[in-house]
Amino acid sequence: MENTHKKKRKRLLWDFAYYGALLLLVLCILFIKSGGKGAPVSVLGFSMHNVLSASMQEEIPKGALVLTRRVEPGTLKIGDDITYMRDAQTTVTHRIIGIIEDYENTGQRAFETKGVMNKERDKLLVPAANVVGKVIFHNHALGVAMSFLSRYWKLALLFLALFSGLIWAIRSFWRACREE
C-alpha cells in the first residue's frame, strides 16, 4: 500500500515538473515574441532582451540575454548596470558613472552612463523615467537560445508539440505495460 502511494507521489511530481517546464518554455516564447520593437515587455517588474552591441563586452557579451528588474531610481548608484530607453524604439544597457539629483530643475534624477568598452561617456543623460530596470542577470548561451527561439518560434512550438506527444505516448505505453 505504501509503495503505491510513493509511486503515485513520484508520478504526480514528474507530471508537475514536466508540465511546469512545458508551460515555462511556452511562456518564454510568448514573452519574447510579444516584445517586438520598443520597450521590453515587463512581467511582474522583470523584463528581458538581447544585447545587440559590444559596448559592454567585458561584462555582458554581445548576444547575451539580460534580465532586468524595475527598481526605484533613488536606489540606483554609480557602478550599477541599467537598461534604459534611448528613444521609443531602442533599449541600451550601460553602466552608471554619474548621478545628477535635480535634472533640469525637475527634482528627478538623471544618470550619466557609459558602455564599459567605450572610451567616452554617453552624450545624453538618462532621465530616471527612461530607466527600464537594473541588470540582475545575464547569460550569453541563454541569449543565443532566446534569439533562436524568437526568430524561429513557430518551428520551436511545433517541435515542442511533437516532443510533448512523444513523451505522452512513451508514458502511456509504460503505464500500459506495468498494468499488464
Side-chain angles (χ1 to χ4, degrees), residues 43-49 60 65-71 76 80-83 93 133-139:
V43 175
L44 300 173
F46 294 91
S47 60
M48 64 178 155
H49 64 280
I60 305 171
L65 175 82
V66 172
L67 179 67
T68 62
R69 180 176 39 121
R70 187 175 38 234
V71 296
L76 294 171
D80 286 343
D81 294 332
I82 60 169
T83 298
T93 299
K134 179 180 176 179
V135 175
I136 59 170
F137 174 78
H138 58 86
N139 184 284

PDB file of all heavy atoms in Angstrom, residues 43-49 60 65-71 76 80-83 93 133-139:
ATOM      1  N   VAL A  43       7.047  41.846 -17.002  1.00  0.00           N
ATOM      2  CA  VAL A  43       6.149  40.934 -16.304  1.00  0.00           C
ATOM      3  C   VAL A  43       6.569  40.925 -14.848  1.00  0.00           C
ATOM      4  O   VAL A  43       7.700  40.549 -14.523  1.00  0.00           O
ATOM      5  CB  VAL A  43       6.215  39.506 -16.898  1.00  0.00           C
ATOM      6  CG1 VAL A  43       5.372  38.549 -16.098  1.00  0.00           C
ATOM      7  CG2 VAL A  43       5.800  39.514 -18.359  1.00  0.00           C
ATOM      8  N   LEU A  44       5.667  41.379 -13.982  1.00  0.00           N
ATOM      9  CA  LEU A  44       5.927  41.470 -12.544  1.00  0.00           C
ATOM     10  C   LEU A  44       7.198  42.283 -12.247  1.00  0.00           C
ATOM     11  O   LEU A  44       7.933  41.987 -11.314  1.00  0.00           O
ATOM     12  CB  LEU A  44       6.033  40.073 -11.924  1.00  0.00           C
ATOM     13  CG  LEU A  44       4.798  39.194 -12.069  1.00  0.00           C
ATOM     14  CD1 LEU A  44       5.083  37.786 -11.572  1.00  0.00           C
ATOM     15  CD2 LEU A  44       3.616  39.794 -11.339  1.00  0.00           C
ATOM     16  N   GLY A  45       7.466  43.289 -13.077  1.00  0.00           N
ATOM     17  CA  GLY A  45       8.623  44.162 -12.870  1.00  0.00           C
ATOM     18  C   GLY A  45       9.915  43.644 -13.482  1.00  0.00           C
ATOM     19  O   GLY A  45      10.954  44.285 -13.363  1.00  0.00           O
ATOM     20  N   PHE A  46       9.867  42.496 -14.132  1.00  0.00           N
ATOM     21  CA  PHE A  46      11.060  41.936 -14.772  1.00  0.00           C
ATOM     22  C   PHE A  46      10.903  42.037 -16.285  1.00  0.00           C
ATOM     23  O   PHE A  46       9.811  41.869 -16.814  1.00  0.00           O
ATOM     24  CB  PHE A  46      11.254  40.468 -14.379  1.00  0.00           C
ATOM     25  CG  PHE A  46      11.556  40.274 -12.932  1.00  0.00           C
ATOM     26  CD1 PHE A  46      10.533  40.075 -12.022  1.00  0.00           C
ATOM     27  CD2 PHE A  46      12.864  40.295 -12.468  1.00  0.00           C
ATOM     28  CE1 PHE A  46      10.797  39.896 -10.678  1.00  0.00           C
ATOM     29  CE2 PHE A  46      13.141  40.122 -11.129  1.00  0.00           C
ATOM     30  CZ  PHE A  46      12.109  39.923 -10.226  1.00  0.00           C
ATOM     31  N   SER A  47      12.003  42.279 -16.967  1.00  0.00           N
ATOM     32  CA  SER A  47      11.986  42.280 -18.430  1.00  0.00           C
ATOM     33  C   SER A  47      13.291  41.674 -18.922  1.00  0.00           C
ATOM     34  O   SER A  47      14.279  41.616 -18.189  1.00  0.00           O
ATOM     35  CB  SER A  47      11.799  43.699 -18.977  1.00  0.00           C
ATOM     36  OG  SER A  47      12.850  44.537 -18.563  1.00  0.00           O
ATOM     37  N   MET A  48      13.277  41.206 -20.163  1.00  0.00           N
ATOM     38  CA  MET A  48      14.494  40.636 -20.721  1.00  0.00           C
ATOM     39  C   MET A  48      14.612  41.010 -22.184  1.00  0.00           C
ATOM     40  O   MET A  48      13.619  41.265 -22.856  1.00  0.00           O
ATOM     41  CB  MET A  48      14.536  39.130 -20.532  1.00  0.00           C
ATOM     42  CG  MET A  48      13.500  38.334 -21.212  1.00  0.00           C
ATOM     43  SD  MET A  48      13.810  36.581 -20.875  1.00  0.00           S
ATOM     44  CE  MET A  48      12.189  35.941 -21.085  1.00  0.00           C
ATOM     45  N   HIS A  49      15.864  41.070 -22.615  1.00  0.00           N
ATOM     46  CA  HIS A  49      16.153  41.364 -24.011  1.00  0.00           C
ATOM     47  C   HIS A  49      17.568  40.901 -24.326  1.00  0.00           C
ATOM     48  O   HIS A  49      18.325  40.545 -23.432  1.00  0.00           O
ATOM     49  CB  HIS A  49      15.983  42.853 -24.305  1.00  0.00           C
ATOM     50  CG  HIS A  49      16.940  43.716 -23.559  1.00  0.00           C
ATOM     51  ND1 HIS A  49      16.775  44.076 -22.246  1.00  0.00           N
ATOM     52  CD2 HIS A  49      18.106  44.276 -23.944  1.00  0.00           C
ATOM     53  CE1 HIS A  49      17.792  44.822 -21.858  1.00  0.00           C
ATOM     54  NE2 HIS A  49      18.616  44.952 -22.864  1.00  0.00           N
ATOM     55  N   ILE A  60      29.073  42.120 -20.267  1.00  0.00           N
ATOM     56  CA  ILE A  60      27.896  41.487 -20.851  1.00  0.00           C
ATOM     57  C   ILE A  60      28.157  41.344 -22.350  1.00  0.00           C
ATOM     58  O   ILE A  60      28.088  42.313 -23.090  1.00  0.00           O
ATOM     59  CB  ILE A  60      26.627  42.342 -20.615  1.00  0.00           C
ATOM     60  CG1 ILE A  60      26.435  42.628 -19.126  1.00  0.00           C
ATOM     61  CG2 ILE A  60      25.409  41.639 -21.197  1.00  0.00           C
ATOM     62  CD1 ILE A  60      25.335  43.627 -18.819  1.00  0.00           C
ATOM     63  N   LEU A  65      21.565  37.327 -23.132  1.00  0.00           N
ATOM     64  CA  LEU A  65      20.245  37.626 -22.596  1.00  0.00           C
ATOM     65  C   LEU A  65      20.450  38.423 -21.314  1.00  0.00           C
ATOM     66  O   LEU A  65      21.264  38.051 -20.468  1.00  0.00           O
ATOM     67  CB  LEU A  65      19.484  36.341 -22.265  1.00  0.00           C
ATOM     68  CG  LEU A  65      18.135  36.557 -21.597  1.00  0.00           C
ATOM     69  CD1 LEU A  65      17.079  36.879 -22.648  1.00  0.00           C
ATOM     70  CD2 LEU A  65      17.737  35.337 -20.807  1.00  0.00           C
ATOM     71  N   VAL A  66      19.734  39.534 -21.185  1.00  0.00           N
ATOM     72  CA  VAL A  66      19.826  40.373 -19.999  1.00  0.00           C
ATOM     73  C   VAL A  66      18.461  40.384 -19.330  1.00  0.00           C
ATOM     74  O   VAL A  66      17.443  40.635 -19.965  1.00  0.00           O
ATOM     75  CB  VAL A  66      20.248  41.819 -20.368  1.00  0.00           C
ATOM     76  CG1 VAL A  66      20.164  42.738 -19.174  1.00  0.00           C
ATOM     77  CG2 VAL A  66      21.642  41.836 -20.950  1.00  0.00           C
ATOM     78  N   LEU A  67      18.449  40.088 -18.038  1.00  0.00           N
ATOM     79  CA  LEU A  67      17.233  40.157 -17.233  1.00  0.00           C
ATOM     80  C   LEU A  67      17.357  41.379 -16.336  1.00  0.00           C
ATOM     81  O   LEU A  67      18.349  41.524 -15.617  1.00  0.00           O
ATOM     82  CB  LEU A  67      17.067  38.890 -16.398  1.00  0.00           C
ATOM     83  CG  LEU A  67      15.848  38.839 -15.475  1.00  0.00           C
ATOM     84  CD1 LEU A  67      14.559  38.785 -16.295  1.00  0.00           C
ATOM     85  CD2 LEU A  67      15.940  37.635 -14.558  1.00  0.00           C
ATOM     86  N   THR A  68      16.357  42.257 -16.409  1.00  0.00           N
ATOM     87  CA  THR A  68      16.373  43.454 -15.569  1.00  0.00           C
ATOM     88  C   THR A  68      15.173  43.429 -14.635  1.00  0.00           C
ATOM     89  O   THR A  68      14.157  42.802 -14.916  1.00  0.00           O
ATOM     90  CB  THR A  68      16.315  44.747 -16.412  1.00  0.00           C
ATOM     91  OG1 THR A  68      15.096  44.784 -17.145  1.00  0.00           O
ATOM     92  CG2 THR A  68      17.497  44.856 -17.349  1.00  0.00           C
ATOM     93  N   ARG A  69      15.338  44.138 -13.525  1.00  0.00           N
ATOM     94  CA  ARG A  69      14.254  44.274 -12.546  1.00  0.00           C
ATOM     95  C   ARG A  69      13.986  45.751 -12.361  1.00  0.00           C
ATOM     96  O   ARG A  69      14.918  46.540 -12.169  1.00  0.00           O
ATOM     97  CB  ARG A  69      14.647  43.643 -11.228  1.00  0.00           C
ATOM     98  CG  ARG A  69      13.576  43.747 -10.155  1.00  0.00           C
ATOM     99  CD  ARG A  69      13.992  43.015  -8.898  1.00  0.00           C
ATOM    100  NE  ARG A  69      15.405  43.213  -8.636  1.00  0.00           N
ATOM    101  CZ  ARG A  69      15.898  43.757  -7.532  1.00  0.00           C
ATOM    102  NH1 ARG A  69      15.115  44.098  -6.560  1.00  0.00           N
ATOM    103  NH2 ARG A  69      17.182  43.916  -7.387  1.00  0.00           N
ATOM    104  N   ARG A  70      12.726  46.132 -12.448  1.00  0.00           N
ATOM    105  CA  ARG A  70      12.355  47.533 -12.231  1.00  0.00           C
ATOM    106  C   ARG A  70      12.679  47.896 -10.781  1.00  0.00           C
ATOM    107  O   ARG A  70      12.360  47.141  -9.857  1.00  0.00           O
ATOM    108  CB  ARG A  70      10.867  47.733 -12.519  1.00  0.00           C
ATOM    109  CG  ARG A  70      10.440  49.169 -12.474  1.00  0.00           C
ATOM    110  CD  ARG A  70       8.998  49.400 -12.870  1.00  0.00           C
ATOM    111  NE  ARG A  70       8.087  48.379 -12.395  1.00  0.00           N
ATOM    112  CZ  ARG A  70       7.263  47.701 -13.161  1.00  0.00           C
ATOM    113  NH1 ARG A  70       7.226  47.902 -14.453  1.00  0.00           N
ATOM    114  NH2 ARG A  70       6.444  46.794 -12.648  1.00  0.00           N
ATOM    115  N   VAL A  71      13.346  49.025 -10.610  1.00  0.00           N
ATOM    116  CA  VAL A  71      13.715  49.496  -9.272  1.00  0.00           C
ATOM    117  C   VAL A  71      13.385  50.980  -9.165  1.00  0.00           C
ATOM    118  O   VAL A  71      13.213  51.665 -10.173  1.00  0.00           O
ATOM    119  CB  VAL A  71      15.223  49.276  -8.978  1.00  0.00           C
ATOM    120  CG1 VAL A  71      15.576  47.803  -8.948  1.00  0.00           C
ATOM    121  CG2 VAL A  71      16.099  50.011  -9.965  1.00  0.00           C
ATOM    122  N   LEU A  76      19.333  53.403  -7.296  1.00  0.00           N
ATOM    123  CA  LEU A  76      20.443  53.164  -8.220  1.00  0.00           C
ATOM    124  C   LEU A  76      21.668  53.959  -7.780  1.00  0.00           C
ATOM    125  O   LEU A  76      21.557  55.069  -7.265  1.00  0.00           O
ATOM    126  CB  LEU A  76      20.040  53.557  -9.647  1.00  0.00           C
ATOM    127  CG  LEU A  76      18.947  52.691 -10.264  1.00  0.00           C
ATOM    128  CD1 LEU A  76      18.462  53.289 -11.578  1.00  0.00           C
ATOM    129  CD2 LEU A  76      19.440  51.268 -10.469  1.00  0.00           C
ATOM    130  N   ASP A  80      26.179  50.611 -11.071  1.00  0.00           N
ATOM    131  CA  ASP A  80      25.076  49.721 -11.452  1.00  0.00           C
ATOM    132  C   ASP A  80      24.948  49.684 -12.972  1.00  0.00           C
ATOM    133  O   ASP A  80      25.109  50.703 -13.649  1.00  0.00           O
ATOM    134  CB  ASP A  80      23.745  50.206 -10.869  1.00  0.00           C
ATOM    135  CG  ASP A  80      23.620  49.957  -9.387  1.00  0.00           C
ATOM    136  OD1 ASP A  80      24.385  49.134  -8.850  1.00  0.00           O
ATOM    137  OD2 ASP A  80      22.749  50.591  -8.752  1.00  0.00           O
ATOM    138  N   ASP A  81      24.644  48.510 -13.501  1.00  0.00           N
ATOM    139  CA  ASP A  81      24.339  48.367 -14.924  1.00  0.00           C
ATOM    140  C   ASP A  81      22.829  48.470 -15.067  1.00  0.00           C
ATOM    141  O   ASP A  81      22.087  47.780 -14.353  1.00  0.00           O
ATOM    142  CB  ASP A  81      24.827  47.023 -15.460  1.00  0.00           C
ATOM    143  CG  ASP A  81      26.345  46.905 -15.432  1.00  0.00           C
ATOM    144  OD1 ASP A  81      27.023  47.945 -15.528  1.00  0.00           O
ATOM    145  OD2 ASP A  81      26.850  45.774 -15.325  1.00  0.00           O
ATOM    146  N   ILE A  82      22.393  49.353 -15.977  1.00  0.00           N
ATOM    147  CA  ILE A  82      20.962  49.569 -16.179  1.00  0.00           C
ATOM    148  C   ILE A  82      20.611  49.424 -17.649  1.00  0.00           C
ATOM    149  O   ILE A  82      21.461  49.582 -18.526  1.00  0.00           O
ATOM    150  CB  ILE A  82      20.502  50.960 -15.681  1.00  0.00           C
ATOM    151  CG1 ILE A  82      21.247  52.082 -16.431  1.00  0.00           C
ATOM    152  CG2 ILE A  82      20.659  51.086 -14.180  1.00  0.00           C
ATOM    153  CD1 ILE A  82      20.685  53.477 -16.192  1.00  0.00           C
ATOM    154  N   THR A  83      19.350  49.119 -17.895  1.00  0.00           N
ATOM    155  CA  THR A  83      18.804  49.154 -19.244  1.00  0.00           C
ATOM    156  C   THR A  83      17.859  50.340 -19.285  1.00  0.00           C
ATOM    157  O   THR A  83      17.049  50.529 -18.381  1.00  0.00           O
ATOM    158  CB  THR A  83      18.056  47.854 -19.582  1.00  0.00           C
ATOM    159  OG1 THR A  83      18.993  46.774 -19.533  1.00  0.00           O
ATOM    160  CG2 THR A  83      17.425  47.915 -20.957  1.00  0.00           C
ATOM    161  N   THR A  93      21.880  49.025 -22.688  1.00  0.00           N
ATOM    162  CA  THR A  93      22.344  48.578 -21.375  1.00  0.00           C
ATOM    163  C   THR A  93      23.750  49.111 -21.186  1.00  0.00           C
ATOM    164  O   THR A  93      24.666  48.723 -21.911  1.00  0.00           O
ATOM    165  CB  THR A  93      22.325  47.037 -21.286  1.00  0.00           C
ATOM    166  OG1 THR A  93      20.981  46.576 -21.475  1.00  0.00           O
ATOM    167  CG2 THR A  93      22.833  46.560 -19.926  1.00  0.00           C
ATOM    168  N   GLY A 133      15.162  49.160 -16.062  1.00  0.00           N
ATOM    169  CA  GLY A 133      15.466  48.412 -14.856  1.00  0.00           C
ATOM    170  C   GLY A 133      16.956  48.210 -14.660  1.00  0.00           C
ATOM    171  O   GLY A 133      17.773  48.553 -15.523  1.00  0.00           O
ATOM    172  N   LYS A 134      17.287  47.643 -13.530  1.00  0.00           N
ATOM    173  CA  LYS A 134      18.671  47.321 -13.174  1.00  0.00           C
ATOM    174  C   LYS A 134      18.958  45.893 -13.618  1.00  0.00           C
ATOM    175  O   LYS A 134      18.143  44.990 -13.409  1.00  0.00           O
ATOM    176  CB  LYS A 134      18.848  47.444 -11.659  1.00  0.00           C
ATOM    177  CG  LYS A 134      20.227  47.117 -11.168  1.00  0.00           C
ATOM    178  CD  LYS A 134      20.299  47.281  -9.658  1.00  0.00           C
ATOM    179  CE  LYS A 134      21.662  46.861  -9.144  1.00  0.00           C
ATOM    180  NZ  LYS A 134      21.757  47.033  -7.694  1.00  0.00           N
ATOM    181  N   VAL A 135      20.128  45.686 -14.222  1.00  0.00           N
ATOM    182  CA  VAL A 135      20.510  44.352 -14.673  1.00  0.00           C
ATOM    183  C   VAL A 135      20.751  43.472 -13.446  1.00  0.00           C
ATOM    184  O   VAL A 135      21.548  43.819 -12.572  1.00  0.00           O
ATOM    185  CB  VAL A 135      21.781  44.402 -15.554  1.00  0.00           C
ATOM    186  CG1 VAL A 135      22.246  43.000 -15.916  1.00  0.00           C
ATOM    187  CG2 VAL A 135      21.534  45.228 -16.808  1.00  0.00           C
ATOM    188  N   ILE A 136      20.044  42.328 -13.391  1.00  0.00           N
ATOM    189  CA  ILE A 136      20.233  41.409 -12.270  1.00  0.00           C
ATOM    190  C   ILE A 136      20.814  40.072 -12.714  1.00  0.00           C
ATOM    191  O   ILE A 136      21.258  39.287 -11.886  1.00  0.00           O
ATOM    192  CB  ILE A 136      18.919  41.184 -11.486  1.00  0.00           C
ATOM    193  CG1 ILE A 136      17.838  40.607 -12.396  1.00  0.00           C
ATOM    194  CG2 ILE A 136      18.462  42.464 -10.813  1.00  0.00           C
ATOM    195  CD1 ILE A 136      16.599  40.133 -11.660  1.00  0.00           C
ATOM    196  N   PHE A 137      20.796  39.832 -14.034  1.00  0.00           N
ATOM    197  CA  PHE A 137      21.303  38.555 -14.541  1.00  0.00           C
ATOM    198  C   PHE A 137      21.582  38.699 -16.024  1.00  0.00           C
ATOM    199  O   PHE A 137      20.856  39.395 -16.730  1.00  0.00           O
ATOM    200  CB  PHE A 137      20.252  37.453 -14.326  1.00  0.00           C
ATOM    201  CG  PHE A 137      20.616  36.122 -14.937  1.00  0.00           C
ATOM    202  CD1 PHE A 137      21.521  35.280 -14.312  1.00  0.00           C
ATOM    203  CD2 PHE A 137      20.061  35.727 -16.150  1.00  0.00           C
ATOM    204  CE1 PHE A 137      21.848  34.052 -14.885  1.00  0.00           C
ATOM    205  CE2 PHE A 137      20.387  34.509 -16.717  1.00  0.00           C
ATOM    206  CZ  PHE A 137      21.288  33.664 -16.084  1.00  0.00           C
ATOM    207  N   HIS A 138      22.642  38.045 -16.484  1.00  0.00           N
ATOM    208  CA  HIS A 138      22.896  37.980 -17.919  1.00  0.00           C
ATOM    209  C   HIS A 138      23.595  36.667 -18.230  1.00  0.00           C
ATOM    210  O   HIS A 138      24.335  36.130 -17.408  1.00  0.00           O
ATOM    211  CB  HIS A 138      23.714  39.178 -18.411  1.00  0.00           C
ATOM    212  CG  HIS A 138      25.035  39.335 -17.737  1.00  0.00           C
ATOM    213  ND1 HIS A 138      26.165  38.691 -18.156  1.00  0.00           N
ATOM    214  CD2 HIS A 138      25.393  40.062 -16.657  1.00  0.00           C
ATOM    215  CE1 HIS A 138      27.184  39.027 -17.365  1.00  0.00           C
ATOM    216  NE2 HIS A 138      26.731  39.845 -16.448  1.00  0.00           N
ATOM    217  N   ASN A 139      23.326  36.145 -19.433  1.00  0.00           N
ATOM    218  CA  ASN A 139      23.922  34.879 -19.835  1.00  0.00           C
ATOM    219  C   ASN A 139      23.969  34.820 -21.355  1.00  0.00           C
ATOM    220  O   ASN A 139      22.947  35.008 -22.010  1.00  0.00           O
ATOM    221  CB  ASN A 139      23.113  33.714 -19.275  1.00  0.00           C
ATOM    222  CG  ASN A 139      23.745  32.381 -19.577  1.00  0.00           C
ATOM    223  OD1 ASN A 139      23.660  31.902 -20.708  1.00  0.00           O
ATOM    224  ND2 ASN A 139      24.362  31.788 -18.578  1.00  0.00           N
TER     225      ASN A 139
END
